[in-house]
Amino acid sequence: MRRILLWMARNRFLKRTLPRLWFVRRATRRFMPGETMEAALDAAEAFRPHGMGVLFTRLGENLTDLSEAQAVADHYHDLMRKIAARGMDAEISVKPTQLGLDLDREAALEHLRGLATHAAEMNGTLRIDMEGSAYTDPTLDLYRSLKQTHPNAGICLQAYLRRTPADVESLLPLHPSIRLVKGAYDEPKEIAYRRKSEVDAAYHALCVQMLPYAARGELRLGLGTHDTQLIERVAESARGAGFTTDATEVEMLYGIRHGEQLRLAKEGYRVLTLIAYGEAWYPWYMRRLAERPANVLFALRQIFG
Ligand code: FDA
């Protein structure tokens, strides 16, 4: 089921057709509050009373024209001005291919620099998402270049990739900000763990690798997962090694395990909710369904009322 859904996420015909159907659009509301920036900003207000932060991402990937990248960057600058005007505890998270990485690496880097400068003026971090494995090296390369001029840049790494421990090792001297996720794409077994138990073990091992650096303030570690058992295991390992978990934060997606997000925030974790919005939601939404096939039943119930 996971593989079929991930195939559907990439299928061009379905990508063109399904989002046009209003009842399919209705089903997406569970994971995204709306398609507009204002809908996302309004939804974020609900997290403020709980002391939770927010990450925003405008959906879209793999542009075909560089002028679209400029429009995306302008959109994010506008969003950051609105975040500042509302006095929100919020940052943005961007996909390199949405800023034109496929078309012109230097142009994408310039957009990242502009956004990171704006984020720094707001005392914030510019987060970079990680896409499919074809983009791992180009994205890490962009991150290294950006980090030279902008210390406030963060990157996402995927625990399911066998290469990730080595990537962490190579990034450590940069004092990086890393969001560790399990990984959302359909990757071959030669380069990625495919069984949940293996991915979970890799995730935990990566945290153990990074915790000493986080405890010394040389790394900012974001646990980008809804797997609260795993978060507890990481916390136990931290305590066992004499570290506090203050150096880590938990990042989850809007609409997923909301009760657990509130609980962790109440227990003293720094919790950030990532709110995705925008019109180009189809592949992103299909990846959310693939993560938990039970979501398909939920979506069908929404679709058929
Ligand atoms: P896992 O899939 O094991 O789920 C643990 C539990 O969480 C499940 O038992 C279920 O209860 C709940 N859950 C998880 N997913 C759910 C869903 N879709 N619907 C309902 N319940 C669900 N990936 C990537 O490749 N590049 C990226 O840049 C990012 N960025 C990112 C940011 C943030 C803040 C998060 C939380 C996640 C990402 N991801 C990502 C996605 C990530 O790789 C992964 O696919 C999902 O987080 C699902 O895996 P979990 O870690 O939640 O564990």
Side-chain angles (χ1 to χ4, degrees), residues 192-214:
Y193 302 109
R194 295 173 68 100
R195 290 219 307 273
K196 178 172 160 52
S197 57
E198 287 177 327
V199 178
D200 290 357
Y203 193 103
H204 182 255
L206 284 160
C207 289
V208 169
Q209 180 185 359
M210 289 189 274
L211 278 170
Y213 298 88

Side-chain angles (χ1 to χ4, degrees), residues 30-31 55 95 128-131 156 158 160 179 181-185 196 200 203 224-227 251-253 256-257 274 287-289 291-292 295:
R30 174 176 174 196
F31 298 124
L55 300 170
K95 286 199 175 11
I128 302 178
D129 291 347
M130 188 58 82
E131 302 174 72
C156 175
Q158 296 153 326
Y160 66 6
R179 170 201 302 149
V181 300
K182 290 189 185 176
Y185 297 82
K196 178 172 160 52
D200 290 357
Y203 193 103
T225 178
H226 312 97
D227 192 336
E251 301 173 20
M252 295 196 191
L253 301 179
I256 299 182
R257 306 202 93 177
L274 190 149
R287 289 199 292 273
R288 300 294 78 79
L289 294 187
E291 281 159 5
R292 194 163 177 254
N295 286 342

Side-chain angles (χ1 to χ4, degrees), residues 155-224:
I155 183 87
C156 175
L157 296 181
Q158 296 153 326
Y160 66 6
L161 291 185
R162 297 173 192 271
R163 58 177 286 170
T164 300
D167 289 335
V168 166
E169 212 52 49
S170 77
L171 290 176
L172 285 172
L174 305 181
H175 291 197
S177 170
I178 294 178
R179 170 201 302 149
L180 185 64
V181 300
K182 290 189 185 176
Y185 297 82
D186 188 19
E187 303 291 1
K189 65 176 187 317
E190 290 71 29
I191 63 165
Y193 302 109
R194 295 173 68 100
R195 290 219 307 273
K196 178 172 160 52
S197 57
E198 287 177 327
V199 178
D200 290 357
Y203 193 103
H204 182 255
L206 284 160
C207 289
V208 169
Q209 180 185 359
M210 289 189 274
L211 278 170
Y213 298 88
R216 288 201 295 272
E218 294 170 11
L219 163 78
R220 180 174 167 196
L221 177 58
L223 306 178

Side-chain angles (χ1 to χ4, degrees), residues 10-205:
R10 294 191 304 270
N11 185 279
R12 284 185 190 184
F13 172 74
L14 294 175
K15 194 172 176 177
R16 260 198 325 273
T17 316
L18 288 182
R20 292 200 197 128
L21 307 173
W22 67 269
F23 49 84
V24 176
R25 285 213 299 275
R26 189 178 62 179
T28 65
R29 286 295 174 266
R30 174 176 174 196
F31 298 124
M32 47 182 277
E35 294 187 356
T36 64
M37 184 193 294
E38 288 305 321
L41 285 163
D42 290 346
E45 294 291 355
F47 297 95
R48 205 196 284 251
H50 304 284
M52 293 160 66
V54 173
L55 300 170
F56 289 108
T57 196
R58 185 194 184 198
L59 298 173
E61 41 205 82
N62 301 102
L63 304 182
T64 49
D65 186 331
L66 211 50
S67 64
E68 294 172 58
Q70 183 61 53
V72 170
D74 291 346
H75 178 97
Y76 277 125
H77 284 294
D78 189 28
L79 173 61
M80 284 196 272
R81 282 189 287 273
K82 291 201 165 114
I83 289 171
R86 289 193 186 214
M88 272 182 168
D89 174 7
E91 292 173 339
I92 64 166
S93 198
V94 298
K95 286 199 175 11
T97 62
Q98 198 184 12
L99 291 167
L101 177 61
D102 285 325
L103 307 171
D104 183 340
R105 186 226 180 237
E106 286 314 303
L109 180 58
E110 270 319 295
H111 286 311
L112 287 172
R113 286 196 172 122
L115 293 171
T117 300
H118 197 156
E121 287 161 12
M122 296 164 62
N123 288 324
T125 300
L126 174 72
R127 323 282 191 118
I128 302 178
D129 291 347
M130 188 58 82
E131 302 174 72
S133 59
Y135 295 103
T136 311
D137 277 320
T139 303
L140 287 173
D141 180 51
L142 269 184
Y143 181 63
R144 288 192 180 96
S145 302
L146 181 64
K147 213 39 180 117
Q148 284 174 10
T149 49
H150 293 78
N152 65 322
I155 183 87
C156 175
L157 296 181
Q158 296 153 326
Y160 66 6
L161 291 185
R162 297 173 192 271
R163 58 177 286 170
T164 300
D167 289 335
V168 166
E169 212 52 49
S170 77
L171 290 176
L172 285 172
L174 305 181
H175 291 197
S177 170
I178 294 178
R179 170 201 302 149
L180 185 64
V181 300
K182 290 189 185 176
Y185 297 82
D186 188 19
E187 303 291 1
K189 65 176 187 317
E190 290 71 29
I191 63 165
Y193 302 109
R194 295 173 68 100
R195 290 219 307 273
K196 178 172 160 52
S197 57
E198 287 177 327
V199 178
D200 290 357
Y203 193 103
H204 182 255

